[in-house]
Amino acid sequence: MMTVQELMTPVGTQVHGGQSLIEVLALMRRNQHSCAVVMDGDRVAGLIREKDLVSVLARVLESGRIEVGRAADVMTVNPVCVPAGASLLEALKRAQEYRQRQMPVLDDRGALVGMITHTDMAQAYIKILERQTELVSVNRALRAESLQDSLLNIGNRRAMERDLKVLGTHPKRRFALALLDLDWFKKYNDYYGHQAGDRALQRVCKTISGHLRQGDTLYRYGGEELLLLMLDTDLEGAWLGASRVCEAVQRLRIEHAPSPLGVLTLSAGVACEPGAGISQLIASADQALYYAKTHGHNSVIRGRPVAEPDITPSL
């Protein structure tokens, strides 16, 4: 925590009790200080503050005469002091409790080392607020990064699990899942290299994201496998949505020499079972995806909880 010593103004205007007010005011004006510390040897005897000077001026004006006094005649006796090692919070509490705008700062031996003023504390508070604002921004950015796949700029597995968990608490909310997988992608990486594979994945995800409805979300499920969450739809709507993105990827015409189709394509399995748990839906979509991958690829298969999946090619 920030300490008083980090905030204080170094020792400035020091005077002794017998010094004339004219000298004191001249020193304060020259140093551009709003207060002066009155010393009795090494001990802080008092403070001359703006408030004290205003009080003297008022008495002079009321009396109708001008009298030059001494520092000791106008000072605030035994001012509230604060240790140099005290925290900013302690200083603020002390200033509030005793209604002080300036407090002498003392070292461990009780010697004067500086002044902590209302302005110093206000500036420190501003710095703290600025740091807090920066921390909030950094934390928001970190949270966003922790939920996003750094390569593909889509939700990662953690984001997917979080969102599905939230959906699981709303059993009446209708939604569907689609598992998407690039066909013969291992062969693509082996043939073109992993960097080319990463670039292809990025293009595919960008294209899919551009063909989603508002509210639908794409996540990286693992490797080249993606999960598409589609809200407020049934099995037929999910099949149409998955077919739409698969067609869009095929239209990219990304060369894939090892593929029988010559271009990069997707296979997908969709699931929408009212009342089913999240794990059941994923299992159903995964089963449908497996069927698509083992029965020709480049197709979208509807998952079914019991019967064999309906194999209806989308393309």
Side-chain angles (χ1 to χ4, degrees):
M1 180 180 284
M2 193 176 292
T3 65
V4 168
Q5 194 163 20
E6 295 175 77
L7 305 173
M8 70 181 188
T9 301
V11 175
T13 304
Q14 295 183 60
V15 300
H16 58 79
Q19 220 164 331
S20 73
L21 278 178
I22 292 177
E23 291 177 309
V24 172
L25 288 170
L27 278 171
M28 290 173 65
R29 182 179 180 183
R30 187 176 67 201
N31 296 335
Q32 297 184 339
H33 290 159
S34 61
C35 68
V37 184
V38 183
M39 304 296 295
D40 181 6
D42 292 334
R43 185 181 69 86
V44 175
L47 278 180
I48 296 179
R49 306 166 300 175
E50 294 170 328
K51 180 180 178 181
D52 301 317
L53 296 173
V54 169
S55 177
V56 171
L57 179 60
R59 291 203 304 270
V60 168
L61 292 174
E62 288 170 359
S63 67
R65 59 190 176 85
I66 298 176
E67 180 180 339
V68 177
R70 301 173 306 147
D73 296 332
V74 300
M75 71 181 186
T76 298
V77 181
N78 297 323
V80 176
C81 301
V82 62
S87 68
L88 173 60
L89 179 60
E90 291 173 308
L92 286 170
K93 285 182 176 179
R94 187 168 296 192
Q96 183 181 36
E97 181 181 356
Y98 295 100
R99 297 183 179 180
Q100 300 296 304
R101 291 179 62 85
Q102 301 97 2
M103 293 184 293
V105 182
L106 308 180
D107 63 16
D108 294 338
R109 297 172 298 173
L112 179 69
V113 292
M115 287 290 298
I116 184 80
T117 68
H118 185 269
T119 301
D120 296 327
M121 290 185 279
Q123 288 176 343
Y125 185 63
I126 290 171
K127 288 180 182 178
I128 289 172
L129 289 178
E130 288 174 345
R131 289 179 187 176
Q132 287 179 337
T133 302
E134 289 173 3
L135 285 172
V136 168
S137 299
V138 169
N139 286 333
R140 284 176 179 169
L142 288 174
R143 279 197 297 271
E145 288 177 7
S146 70
L147 296 173
Q148 188 176 60
D149 185 88
S150 58
L151 175 67
L152 304 180
N153 292 322
I154 60 175
N156 59 17
R157 187 71 175 255
R158 183 181 301 168
M160 180 199 78
E161 291 172 351
R162 181 202 64 179
D163 294 348
L164 291 179
K165 184 178 180 180
V166 171
L167 277 175
T169 63
H170 296 81
K172 294 183 180 180
R173 184 71 186 267
R174 190 175 60 174
F175 64 95
L177 302 178
L179 284 177
L180 313 170
D181 192 66
L182 286 165
D183 294 326
W184 296 289
F185 196 64
K186 183 181 183 304
K187 292 182 178 180
Y188 185 96
N189 278 328
D190 291 342
Y191 188 86
Y192 295 100
H194 286 279
Q195 288 186 341
D198 287 344
R199 290 192 295 270
L201 265 174
Q202 289 171 330
R203 288 186 65 190
V204 166
C205 289
K206 185 177 181 180
T207 298
I208 293 174
S209 297
H211 286 78
L212 299 182
R213 302 174 307 156
Q214 186 174 1
D216 293 349
T217 311
L218 185 66
Y219 308 92
R220 190 173 192 177
Y221 189 68
E224 73 275 11
E225 197 168 3
L226 311 170
L227 184 140
L228 176 56
L229 172 61
M230 294 170 278
L231 301 178
D232 301 317
T233 189
D234 55 15
L235 184 62
E236 189 63 22
W239 183 86
L240 290 172
S243 298
R244 183 170 61 250
V245 299
C246 287
E247 290 167 0
V249 169
Q250 187 173 15
R251 285 197 301 271
L252 287 174
R253 308 299 297 176
I254 298 174
E255 181 183 331
H256 188 354
S259 167
L261 302 171
V263 295
L264 205 57
T265 57
L266 280 175
S267 291
V270 297
C272 179
E273 302 166 23
I278 299 297
S279 59
Q280 290 175 290
L281 279 177
I282 292 177
S284 178
D286 190 51
Q287 181 187 33
L289 174 62
Y290 177 78
Y291 195 92
K293 300 287 283 187
T294 54
H295 290 75
H297 298 77
N298 192 31
S299 59
V300 180
I301 307 301
R302 302 173 181 85
R304 290 179 178 170
V306 179
E308 185 179 14
D310 171 26
I311 178 164
T312 307
S314 64
L315 308 174

